[in-house]
Amino acid sequence: MKYLIETWGCQMNDHDSEKLAGLMEKEGFQAAEGVEDADVVLLNTCSIREKAVNKVYTELGRLREEKKRRPLLVGVTGCLAQQEKAGLFRRAPQIDFVLGTMALQQLPRLVEEARAGKARVMDTGDYPDNHLFPPETTLRHSTAKALVTIIEGCNHACTYCIVPTTRGVERHRPWKDVVAEVEDLVAMGFREVELLGQNVNSYLGGCTFAQLLDRVAEVEGLEWIRFTTSHPMNFTEELARTLATNSKVAPFLHLPVQSGSDAVLRRMRREYTVEQYLERLAYLGGARERIHLSTDFIVGFPGETEADFEDTLALLERVRYDQSFSFVYSPRPGTPALRLADDLPQAEKSRRLTRLQARQTELTLESNQRMVGRSLKARVESKGALDGGHWLARTGEWKNVHLAVPEGRRLPFGELVDIRVTGAGPHFLRGELA
Ligand code: SAH
Ligand code: SF4
Ligand code: F3S
């Protein structure tokens, strides 16, 4: 019997898919090459924006056709499953089972019941041990970096966001478990970990998040620690200090601001003003120059005026983010923002998005150009030369480097190499071995 997992969404979903794959293999299933040779297809879904949901329904349509031709079990998990629950069966009767985000370990039981012919099998319960998933069961993708869950859920209540509904309230994994898992990962050959949570810096699994970073950094053989993602209100001076001084913590911070207008931030219920956000950034002090900064923006939030949007552009100029991710506001079911009047035409929202992204592309290019001439360490992230003849590596600042490597020379996958940056484009650096 073969299984296939298709994944949308954030790193948390990627990592959940690694956990689900491990559970399937433990039950004796083997990985399929594609839908064609799979007996069970599991869609691990995202519902952060409507576009993400549409992709899932398109794929479900394709699977309905496949099911007409042969026996096939279709399961849906992830955030759309948790949000829609039994509603999914009504909208897409080709679904055999639905597994919520807080019930991952119930997968084998659900598959077994569905295989036995039971229809509409579902578990969207809240299991308190979900975040204590046995690390040895996880089947990691063969990338250079290992993902590690430290906290699940979110206690904030941003008015546009579906995540508190789909991921529940915060559950913190004990720090000793986290450190033990990282030790095992290093023994397996990983040299880099990314600590995951909807809001990692509200971590409280027996210590603060800054303390957790220091404890994980003590694991011998580990080279870099990354983390994602952080709410500005939980970004403390202690964390800024750790980021600035612990050399194993990669020099990169993703601190989503969403908007540069206080009026919009208030309606988003982000719990900070622009000034308070900037105060928190200032915690980084002199290290700010060295640490690459990234953020998220939502444009076209209900009631966003042209002046509000200009404030967002002004904030972009002021902070000069090294990179950012920006999205047009997408109304999500059951969220408080649905009650706000939203009369801005979609075309105007798209225009704002394009303007913001065009300016960010210039800033990112400038940020990349400032790196030209620098000698850095970068991790080899391809197992061979790519189409353009170069190898792929990644710096601590989370920059892709296209590495020119002499003909016939092979680089060690997953290892840090010394490089010199020789050029820059908007999406990557060019470099050579130092
Ligand atoms: N916990 C993270 C956010 C995770 S969602 C945080 O608070 O920073 C990732 C990003 O998706 C958010 O930062 C936001 O910019 C965007 N997003 C979330 N809900 C959205 C919506 N309804 N419409 C458009 N973008 C949204
Ligand atoms: Fe969503 Fe806000 Fe929680 Fe981030 S902090 S997951 S945007 S509710
Ligand atoms: Fe999407 Fe859920 Fe992640 S909504 S962004 S998969 S937490």
Side-chain angles (χ1 to χ4, degrees), residues 365-378:
L365 180 61
E366 284 171 24
S367 157
N368 288 352
Q369 283 166 341
R370 281 196 296 276
M371 295 183 83
V372 174
R374 278 179 63 184
S375 297
L376 307 162
K377 290 208 180 294

Side-chain angles (χ1 to χ4, degrees), residues 41-61:
V41 174
L42 192 58
L43 305 184
N44 192 5
T45 62
C46 171
S47 60
I48 198 79
R49 286 170 289 275
E50 199 182 355
K51 229 183 233 166
V53 173
N54 290 343
K55 286 181 194 161
V56 176
Y57 283 115
T58 303
E59 184 60 9
L60 278 168

Side-chain angles (χ1 to χ4, degrees), residues 8-14 44-49 52 78-80 83 101 162-163 166-167 198:
W8 291 270
C10 58
Q11 287 94 326
M12 183 71 88
N13 253 19
D14 280 341
N44 192 5
T45 62
C46 171
S47 60
I48 198 79
R49 286 170 289 275
C79 287
L80 184 63
Q83 176 196 313
T101 55
I162 195 77
V163 171
T166 64
R167 293 281 174 176
Q198 272 74 37

